[in-house]
């Protein structure tokens, strides 16, 4: 089935990693692919120790998307589209595929959403698939069997508190 963790609140990636731990604990093979992240967050350290979990990251143009030049954005599109295609091809060997922040990648036109939607249609019966990110399109929502929205009611970031190691990353 397809799981969609979305919304403006904290917890989308945390929920995806929790399901990854649960699946790994059940002896299932897990593939986690992160978009716009370099794999340095704390949960990646723990997950990489598990023998049935594989982690993938795209090493592309550095920096926040909003600050990229037009040339860097084009390079990011090429890199992330190739990354998505390779991850989707590899996913056939896994029981759970997590595409962390792929919704954001679709929203920014960094990856072709239509290719992702076609994959979801074709593979949903074969494995669990998790998508995370804010503001999923109607097409992505239509493919989801589970939709969980994280809603921010309060967050210390709004008061100027920086992200904390082990809590936010």
């Amino acid at each position: 089935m397809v799981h969609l963790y979305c919304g403006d609140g904290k917890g989308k990636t945390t929920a995806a990693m929790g399901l990854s731990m649960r699946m790994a604990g059940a002896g299932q093979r897990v593939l986690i692919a992160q978009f716009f992240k370099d794999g340095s967050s704390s949960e990646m350290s723990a997950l990489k120790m598990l023998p049935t979990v594989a982690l993938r990251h795209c090493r592309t143009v550095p920096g926040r998307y909003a600050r990229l030049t037009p040339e860097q954005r084009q390079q990011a599109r090429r890199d992330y589209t190739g990354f998505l295609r390779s991850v989707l091809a590899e996913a056939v060997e896994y029981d759970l595929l997590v595409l962390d922040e792929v919704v954001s990648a679709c929203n920014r036109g960094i990856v072709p959403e239509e290719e992702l939607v076609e994959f979801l249609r074709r593979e949903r019966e074969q494995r669990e698939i998790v998508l995370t990110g804010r503001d999923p399109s109607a097409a992505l929502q239509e493919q989801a069997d589970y939709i969980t929205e994280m809603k921010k009611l309060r967050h210390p970031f709004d008061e100027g508190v920086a992200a904390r190691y082990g809590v936010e990353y």
Side-chain angles (χ1 to χ4, degrees), residues 34-54:
Q34 291 191 303
F35 295 78
F36 305 119
K37 296 179 179 179
D38 65 4
S40 64
S41 60
S42 302
E43 68 271 17
M44 295 298 110
S45 298
L47 287 164
K48 72 173 69 167
M49 292 183 215
L50 301 175
T52 62
V53 176

Side-chain angles (χ1 to χ4, degrees), residues 76-129:
R77 282 186 191 95
R78 287 189 296 273
D79 293 348
Y80 275 116
T81 294
F83 177 64
L84 176 68
R85 289 174 179 160
S86 69
V87 165
L88 297 183
E90 185 181 4
V92 299
E93 299 178 25
Y94 291 86
D95 303 298
L96 169 63
L97 170 63
V98 174
L99 298 170
D100 188 31
E101 291 298 339
V102 75
V103 174
S104 301
C106 288
N107 290 344
R108 291 182 171 96
I110 295 292
V111 299
E113 184 176 280
E114 60 278 356
E115 287 185 36
L116 177 58
V117 168
E118 179 53 37
F119 175 83
L120 297 174
R121 284 187 185 122
R122 188 176 66 246
E123 297 292 323
R124 67 183 316 110
E125 302 294 325
Q126 308 305 312
R127 68 199 38 60
E128 299 295 312
I129 304 167

Side-chain angles (χ1 to χ4, degrees), residues 123-147:
E123 297 292 323
R124 67 183 316 110
E125 302 294 325
Q126 308 305 312
R127 68 199 38 60
E128 299 295 312
I129 304 167
V130 174
L131 316 174
T132 73
R134 295 175 184 221
D135 303 317
S137 69
L140 291 177
Q141 290 183 52
E142 185 177 307
Q143 293 304 310
D145 297 291
Y146 298 83
I147 300 177

